[in-house]
Amino acid sequence: MSTIILAIVIGAGFGAVLDRIGATNPNWIGKMLSLKHLHLMKTILLAIGTGSVLMFAGQMAGLVDVGHMDVKTAYTGVFIGGLMLGAGWAAAGYCPGTGVAAAATGRRDALFFVAGGLLGAAAYMVTYPAWEAWGLLDGAKLTLGTVPDAGYDGLIALRGDVLGILLGLGFIAVAFALPERPLGRAASVAAE
Amino acid sequence: MPLNWKTGGLLLGLVFFAAVLLVKPIGVSTQFVIFDAMIGDVANPDLITQADEGYTSTNAYLAKSGGKYAKNAANPLNYSFVFVLAMMAGAAGSALLRGGIGREERRLPAIWKANFGDTPWKRYAVAFAGGFIVLYGARLAGGCTSGHMMSGMMQTSLSGYIFAAAAFLAAIPVSMMMYSKEG
């Protein structure tokens, strides 16, 4: 039962923050992916960096259970699926989580996105055996370094939690370094 | 106008951290499959069956990993599914508290209008097709923007980096071609 309460609290917090950072707004997604306004990109990079530093520092201090990590398998289909998701994300301006959240805020196009998504997921359910037969789903659960006690193999010979903190700090640094408007209006005025 | 990126990024990072501290990393796209399976099981009660040692399905995808998806679809009051319902409630509540999304914007986003004119049905068709490709791709990849990109890269998972590279490789050219005007 308590996990249901946690689902409600963390889920509601996630949805509310997605709405407040503009991630559920296709206008902001479009401006980010066409590199006109990187506000949302800076937000997300800072979030990944913050999460990473806190998680790995918490693990080293013994406050965060390493067993809570959930690393997904790397296989060829990750790349192919990533390309598909990227194309659809750009066209629609929604990804699975933000599409569902946007539909809940009353955006009508997001309802169509979710309906298309349910059909796409169903299509995958039906065609899954073919992908599996082709061997495109075979791979391994790898982290970049080896995180102590996590049970995943590391790609390079560095301690995974130390590397995680360094990469987290790297994400934060990139968030600060990225320009707000690389190809945005301020730059395009001169070209017009 | 969204929150300042420093405030917003810090808040979102704290949500990621709270999730992995208390339960597990955030992910969403699997729940599209769970919802499909719930509908499918109503239409065809043979889809999900309870065996002695758990759940299984006539669909190979729902039956994989010891019937994990079949089990969650048969018991939708589980963490991951309730998480998504709560996410919807959180987003809706947040939008209401800041005065709601305007009627015109709810009908048609400004960036679409700037690039394609007042063509809402064309927009809905693109959103529907986009949703199809996004979820097909997310399931093939085993996760989406939240599971792979946010949670995955946070955990230094190789699959998260592969996924993010592929997603931006496709998303940036498509977006630049379709949305050359800001709106």
Side-chain angles (χ1 to χ4, degrees), chain A residues 9-79:
Chain A
V9 174
I10 302 169
F14 183 52
V17 176
L18 284 180
D19 174 68
R20 290 299 163 110
I21 64 175
T24 60
N25 183 335
N27 301 310
W28 283 98
I29 299 287
K31 282 190 266 193
M32 171 178 83
L33 293 177
S34 60
L35 309 180
K36 293 190 191 74
H37 203 153
L38 299 186
H39 186 274
L40 186 54
M41 181 89 78
K42 288 160 79 79
T43 308
I44 293 168
L45 289 169
L46 177 61
I48 294 172
T50 304
S52 208
V53 170
L54 290 175
M55 185 186 84
F56 285 113
Q59 286 181 2
M60 291 172 88
L63 298 169
V64 177
D65 185 351
V66 181
H68 285 181
M69 279 180 79
D70 187 11
V71 169
K72 294 173 188 282
T73 312
Y75 50 85
T76 314
V78 173
F79 191 79

Side-chain angles (χ1 to χ4, degrees), chain A residues 19 27 36 91-92 118 127, chain B residues 36 94 98 105 123 136 179:
Chain A
D19 174 68
N27 301 310
K36 293 190 191 74
L118 287 169
T127 53
Chain B
D36 278 339
S94 164
R98 62 185 170 85
E105 181 63 23
R123 166 65 186 163
Y136 193 96
Y179 300 106

